[in-house]
Amino acid sequence: MEDCRQNLEKEVSLMKIGIMTYHFCSNYGAVLQAYALKRFLEARGHHVEMVDYRPPNDSGALGHNLRLLLQEGYIRLMNRYSSFRLNGKFADFRRTNLSLSSMHYNSLEELKRACPEYDAYICGSDQIWNPHGQQFHEPYFLTFVPEGRRKFSYAASFGTPVLEERFRAPLQKYLQGFSGISVRENSGVDLVRDFAGKHSIQVIDPTLLHDDYSELYKNKHYPANYLLVYRLQQSAPLTRNLTRLIRHVALELNLPVYSISPQRFRFFLETGKTVYPTPAEWCGWIANASFVITNSFHGSVFSILNRRPFLSFPRVARDGQNDRITDLLHDFSLDDRYILPEEIDSFRIDTLAAYQENLIRERLSAQRHKAAEYLQNQLEMDVK
């Protein structure tokens, strides 16, 4: 009887949890995946904070050399201006919805010197393990956490299906002491196994854990009918083709176009009317759209969650770099929503298959169960 009581107490014990992720970016997917994981854990009674770590080079500050800024040209200058319009809105969302740690950190040394106190530390999601061709960013492997503390990843992403050999030793070193490793893409499972010799599992992006985002935008107002474009920065050839697709669909559906982009540096002129929503309003723009066109993983995620008609377009031309979008679409039997540049001229809206509602519900339920089980096991596991 005593053992049963102890097991029950263990199952319902609440924890103070710290999340290490890209919460500071003026990027809708980044802040909303942080919000979703926080909400998921809070719904189970835990107290959750974002470790307020911000690398110095990601502060989003305006360059000091005005002459160089002006030399960038009108489009870049206006894009810098638009980023400032967005930064304040993202900062307000973080303050209101993300429960930032009381201390602010700018370096690994600061994290080690004044390590925030939590019962469990989680790194993820988003591309926190992307070396960007240079090196891993060590704090996102929780190396500042004292030995013996509970730490694990949730849906961490490398942002690439391949790594150079020089990343083998750092990855092996940084993943020591993890009680569990989960990654967002199937390719990440292969990288963890092949480079670090460790077991990991693939789990869904945190934004798919949370079902109803209307809590964020229920008092907002949107146009009656519109085509929403949410696109991230890409190469000039892909940008031209994406613009061609937007015009093709807008003409076929006879819809006005509203365009959103969080990029600080944009090398294209927006198609349609540009809007600058808060992260909360962004959810509503997708939920209320008549049609969505996006080259973003999270743009595709929120289109699926809201069952919006949509098309996904490649963001980069390199093989394997669009896997997270194509894998997502394949998981929900929505492969026909992915359109390539050479398919634009012959594309027709009425060729898109309808959502298979039962299939989507079943697969989403199964993936959520897998993720919840992983998180529960990690939080209940004895730390040695």
Side-chain angles (χ1 to χ4, degrees):
M1 185 67 177
E2 183 65 26
D3 289 341
C4 291
R5 187 179 298 112
Q6 289 177 351
N7 288 336
L8 180 60
E9 289 174 353
K10 180 180 178 181
E11 288 177 4
V12 299
S13 62
L14 306 182
M15 290 187 171
K16 185 177 181 182
I17 300 172
I19 298 176
M20 189 76 166
T21 189
Y22 285 160
H23 70 285
F24 57 85
C25 299
S26 292
N27 176 286
Y28 297 103
V31 296
L32 288 168
Q33 61 84 19
Y35 169 81
L37 183 56
K38 172 179 173 289
R39 283 296 309 274
F40 181 86
L41 294 168
E42 286 178 336
R44 282 143 185 83
H46 302 294
H47 175 74
V48 186
E49 289 183 352
M50 299 292 142
V51 180
D52 195 16
Y53 170 71
R54 308 185 189 198
N57 62 335
D58 286 311
S59 62
L62 181 66
H64 296 295
N65 193 325
L66 182 59
R67 181 181 177 185
L68 288 177
L69 177 61
L70 292 173
Q71 287 176 349
E72 290 179 339
Y74 174 76
I75 295 177
R76 289 198 193 183
L77 179 61
M78 293 307 295
N79 290 335
R80 289 283 189 97
Y81 170 69
S82 68
S83 75
F84 279 98
R85 295 182 64 178
L86 286 173
N87 284 345
K89 296 179 179 181
F90 276 85
D92 288 343
F93 182 86
R94 284 189 287 268
R95 282 192 294 268
T96 304
N97 297 284
L98 293 190
S99 301
L100 304 181
S101 62
S102 58
M103 290 194 65
H104 172 79
Y105 304 91
N106 285 116
S107 68
L108 178 61
E109 290 68 29
E110 289 180 1
L111 285 163
K112 287 181 175 179
R113 187 165 55 247
C115 180
E117 288 288 333
Y118 300 110
D119 299 311
Y121 300 78
I122 303 176
C123 57
S125 176
D126 222 334
Q127 296 183 38
I128 57 169
W129 291 351
N130 190 335
H132 298 288
Q134 299 176 9
Q135 61 184 8
F136 290 123
H137 202 67
E138 188 175 339
Y140 291 109
F141 289 89
L142 303 175
T143 57
F144 60 89
V145 176
E147 187 176 350
R149 298 289 185 89
R150 186 189 311 269
K151 65 177 183 179
F152 58 93
S153 68
Y154 181 81
S157 174
F158 291 94
T160 176
V162 295
L163 288 174
E164 297 176 20
E165 180 61 28
R166 62 193 175 94
F167 293 116
R168 181 180 300 276
L171 190 60
Q172 291 175 348
K173 175 184 176 182
Y174 294 157
L175 289 179
Q176 292 178 5
F178 274 66
S179 62
I181 303 170
S182 69
V183 292
R184 192 175 64 185
E185 290 87 28
N186 288 317
S187 59
V189 174
D190 297 335
L191 291 174
V192 170
R193 181 193 64 234
D194 297 342
F195 276 72
K198 290 187 174 292
H199 171 75
S200 64
I201 66 169
Q202 183 273 330
V203 292
I204 54 175
D205 187 87
T207 52
L208 288 164
L209 290 174
H210 192 55
D211 216 10
D212 186 8
Y213 290 84
S214 63
E215 64 207 23
L216 293 174
Y217 61 85
K218 58 185 177 183
N219 296 320
K220 309 295 182 181
H221 300 284
Y222 299 90
N225 298 287
Y226 57 91
L227 166 62
L228 180 71
V229 176
Y230 176 59
R231 60 180 174 183
L232 304 178
Q233 183 176 312
Q234 58 190 164
S235 67
L238 282 174
T239 294
R240 286 192 293 269
N241 281 309
L242 179 53
T243 300
R244 194 158 56 89
L245 173 63
I246 295 165
R247 291 170 177 165
H248 180 98
V249 173
L251 181 63
E252 184 174 348
L253 295 178
N254 191 28
L255 289 173
V257 178
Y258 289 84
S259 187
I260 302 172
S261 176
Q263 292 304 116
R264 191 176 306 150
F265 305 102
R266 297 203 298 272
F267 298 95
F268 54 83
L269 289 170
E270 299 287 12
T271 303
K273 181 178 180 180
T274 303
V275 291
Y276 302 92
T278 66
E281 292 167 343
W282 180 87
C283 296
W285 273 102
I286 291 183
N288 289 280
S290 303
F291 200 95
V292 178
I293 294 178
T294 184
N295 65 356
S296 154
F297 171 79
H298 285 109
S300 302
V301 165
F302 278 82
S303 296
I304 294 171
L305 286 175
N306 290 284
R307 308 299 194 268
R308 294 293 84 200
F310 77 101
L311 288 173
S312 291
F313 191 77
R315 185 182 174 192
V316 292
R318 296 188 299 274
D319 290 339
Q321 297 299 309
N322 299 296
D323 284 357
R324 58 183 180 149
I325 295 179
T326 55
D327 286 352
L328 171 75
L329 299 180
H330 184 71
D331 285 344
F332 296 106
S333 294
L334 295 169
D335 304 83
D336 64 337
R337 306 301 170 113
Y338 191 72
I339 185 168
L340 298 171
E342 58 268 24
E343 299 170 332
I344 294 173
D345 291 334
S346 61
F347 173 75
R348 289 174 49 195
I349 299 294
D350 58 13
T351 62
L352 290 178
Y355 279 103
Q356 299 181 50
E357 186 62 34
N358 290 337
L359 180 145
I360 291 176
R361 286 182 181 275
E362 289 174 4
R363 293 187 179 176
L364 193 53
S365 176
Q367 291 180 4
R368 284 173 173 168
H369 176 77
K370 177 184 177 183
E373 187 175 52
Y374 167 79
L375 286 167
Q376 181 176 349
N377 288 341
Q378 290 303 313
L379 293 173
E380 292 180 353
M381 183 183 298
D382 291 330
V383 179
K384 298 180 180 180

